[in-house]
């Protein structure tokens, strides 16, 4: 028997606009929309690390439910998004969100049920 302790989405977005992947305000807006959509509670201040050219950005927001994280690779037009929630949530429309915020041409979202075996 497995006790579910959360769900995690691993989202790969390809064909993104390199300029958007370097813009912390764009990434913060993506996080804000996810926070509202999923009714998440932010703990503390989001953290953003901007790498020197041609690098992207790594962002992390600590949540009462766990975390949001993103790593962007403008040189490849790629973003890796991670959303982990300790309570069940409906799957967001990641394809639409990432197309709108990052210009993603394609998006692959995998969902993992996290838990312990009892």
């Amino acid at each position: 028997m497995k006790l579910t302790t959360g769900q995690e989405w691993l989202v790969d977005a390809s064909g993104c606009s390199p300029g958007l992947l370097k813009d912390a305000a764009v990434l913060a807006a993506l996080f804000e929309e996810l926070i509202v959509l999923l009714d998440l509670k932010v703990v503390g201040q989001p953290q953003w690390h901007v790498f020197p050219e041609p690098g992207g950005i790594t962002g992390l927001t600590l949540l009462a439910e766990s975390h949001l994280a993103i790593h962007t690779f403008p040189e490849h037009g790629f973003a890796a998004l991670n959303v982990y929630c300790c309570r069940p949530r409906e799957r967001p429309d990641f394809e639409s969100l990432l197309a709108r915020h990052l210009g993603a041409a394609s998006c692959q979202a995998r969902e993992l049920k996290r838990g312990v075996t009892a």
Side-chain angles (χ1 to χ4, degrees):
M1 175 166 178
K2 188 166 186 165
L3 170 66
T4 300
T5 58
Q7 66 194 107
E8 185 169 10
W9 289 289
L10 305 172
V11 186
D12 292 342
S14 298
C16 299
S17 166
L20 296 174
L21 295 175
K22 296 181 194 181
D23 190 330
V26 166
L27 300 177
L30 169 63
F31 273 25
E32 185 59 34
E33 188 166 348
L34 282 166
I35 288 162
V36 170
L37 279 173
L38 296 170
D39 190 29
L40 302 170
K41 308 296 181 270
V42 175
V43 177
Q45 293 297 312
Q47 298 294 308
W48 302 99
H49 177 75
V50 179
F51 290 91
E53 286 290 333
I57 297 175
T58 292
L60 175 67
T61 295
L62 183 62
L63 306 169
E65 299 82 3
S66 194
H67 68 272
L68 297 175
I70 194 164
H71 307 282
T72 70
F73 302 85
E75 68 275 24
H76 302 295
F78 177 77
L81 174 69
N82 178 255
V83 181
Y84 181 48
C85 298
C86 64
R87 296 186 330 238
R89 299 286 200 282
E90 289 295 317
R91 180 192 184 276
D93 182 355
F94 288 112
E95 295 79 7
S96 176
L97 282 167
L98 294 172
R100 206 163 10 89
H101 286 277
L102 304 179
S106 67
C107 182
Q108 178 188 15
R110 292 165 283 165
E111 183 175 348
L112 302 172
K113 299 289 186 192
R114 307 299 300 264
V116 295
T117 303

